[in-house]
Amino acid sequence: MALHPAQDAGKLIFAPANDKTNSQADQYAKGALSLDELDPKSPFTQFHTWFTAAQQYGVHQPETVCLSTASLPSGRVSARMVYLKELDSRGFVVYSNFGTSKKAKDIENNKWASLTFWWREMERQVRVEGLVERMGSEESQVYYDTRIRGSRIGAWASKQGQVLEGREQLEGWVKDVEERFEGQEEIPIPEFWGGLRIMPETVEFWQGRESRLHDRFQYTRLEDGRWKIEQLSP
């Protein structure tokens, strides 16, 4: 695809062109967002409305979300793509390894995290910022039991984030766990694995508009538990 010629030869990418004109970035023109379209009381209800619309519209895996955490005291941020698995009245829930993973080390000392959903087909995104809490084993087991056997075995086997000597080492760990639970359909959840609930302090709903003049509305949690909605400049 053609790119704008870079003035600096050291730039490997400069102002990438879009698919249609090969000259300028895409314009967002699929929708608009106004205050009267938002749920006046709850960002959770509003998110459910948008998520359902994304499913019906055919957005590819709308549950895909970028989870960002930061380590302290360095402040270094790390991000990874995960799946949203639950939404309740307290927050957004993802599942992962919390024994050896980078995110586990981050949240040991910094309980703040963010989520970003991007639904390209609808030119929408949702941003969530809030505190996190680990879910208990009993509650996490309910979701864990819905996973295919291979994924349940994998949760036990993977020492997430550790350096591997090669793929064979990982496959050896998997074999060990398969032998441990051979003939056992009900597999207990690993103590180092489970749900992480992000309890939002702010939730932003973003609708792409032309000329980068996007519609942005942010819910902010008040001390009494109610939510304030404000429009933000793009």
Side-chain angles (χ1 to χ4, degrees), residues 197-231:
R197 180 181 285 110
I198 296 88
M199 302 173 291
E201 292 295 320
T202 62
V203 182
E204 178 187 331
F205 294 86
W206 181 103
Q207 176 68 60
R209 298 292 299 273
E210 292 188 14
S211 301
R212 298 297 185 261
L213 299 175
H214 313 302
D215 292 327
R216 301 176 59 191
F217 289 89
Q218 179 176 274
Y219 290 76
T220 302
R221 186 190 296 274
L222 303 176
E223 291 185 0
D224 62 5
R226 294 180 301 134
W227 293 89
K228 175 179 65 174
I229 306 176
E230 297 173 303
Q231 186 168 8

Side-chain angles (χ1 to χ4, degrees), residues 3-232:
L3 303 177
H4 291 283
Q7 301 296 318
D8 182 350
K11 294 184 178 181
L12 299 178
I13 298 175
F14 175 76
N18 68 19
D19 294 334
K20 298 175 183 177
T21 66
N22 285 335
S23 61
Q24 294 180 328
D26 286 328
Q27 292 297 310
Y28 295 144
K30 290 188 176 180
L33 183 63
S34 59
L35 181 62
D36 59 9
E37 296 176 71
L38 299 172
D39 186 280
K41 295 182 179 180
S42 170
F44 302 122
T45 303
Q46 181 59 42
F47 182 86
H48 182 253
T49 298
W50 266 29
F51 187 84
T52 301
Q55 290 179 310
Q56 295 172 346
Y57 195 85
V59 171
H60 180 65
Q61 295 182 329
E63 67 273 22
T64 305
V65 60
C66 180
L67 168 65
S68 298
T69 55
S71 61
L72 294 177
S74 70
R76 291 180 61 175
V77 178
S78 61
R80 72 287 293 163
M81 305 306 296
V82 297
Y83 287 137
L84 175 73
K85 289 299 182 181
E86 299 177 30
L87 173 68
D88 58 27
S89 61
R90 298 182 62 193
F92 300 76
V93 178
V94 301
Y95 285 83
S96 187
N97 177 303
F98 294 101
T100 59
S101 67
K102 178 68 168 63
K103 69 180 79 66
K105 294 180 176 63
D106 286 349
I107 65 177
E108 278 184 13
N109 298 310
N110 182 9
K111 300 300 183 184
W112 288 91
S114 70
L115 299 171
T116 305
F117 297 85
W118 167 239
W119 297 327
R120 175 182 180 274
E121 295 89 340
M122 301 182 77
E123 298 172 349
R124 286 178 171 179
Q125 64 175 309
V126 181
R127 298 176 57 251
V128 179
E129 297 178 6
L131 293 168
V132 301
E133 66 175 9
R134 281 283 309 276
M135 292 168 58
S137 295
E138 184 175 348
E139 190 174 6
S140 295
Q141 182 81 49
V142 177
Y143 163 70
Y144 182 77
D145 288 342
T146 70
R147 293 162 63 95
I148 63 172
R149 182 179 180 83
S151 294
R152 285 178 282 154
I153 293 293
W156 274 98
S158 176
K159 299 174 176 59
Q160 192 177 100
Q162 292 192 6
V163 175
L164 284 173
E165 297 175 1
R167 181 77 185 184
E168 296 77 11
Q169 184 178 24
L170 175 61
E171 292 172 348
W173 294 340
V174 171
K175 183 178 180 181
D176 291 343
V177 177
E178 287 176 337
E179 292 175 353
R180 175 180 177 181
F181 295 111
E182 184 176 2
Q184 184 176 334
E185 180 55 34
E186 294 185 3
I187 301 175
I189 190 171
E191 63 180 13
F192 55 81
W193 195 95
L196 182 75
R197 180 181 285 110
I198 296 88
M199 302 173 291
E201 292 295 320
T202 62
V203 182
E204 178 187 331
F205 294 86
W206 181 103
Q207 176 68 60
R209 298 292 299 273
E210 292 188 14
S211 301
R212 298 297 185 261
L213 299 175
H214 313 302
D215 292 327
R216 301 176 59 191
F217 289 89
Q218 179 176 274
Y219 290 76
T220 302
R221 186 190 296 274
L222 303 176
E223 291 185 0
D224 62 5
R226 294 180 301 134
W227 293 89
K228 175 179 65 174
I229 306 176
E230 297 173 303
Q231 186 168 8
L232 304 180

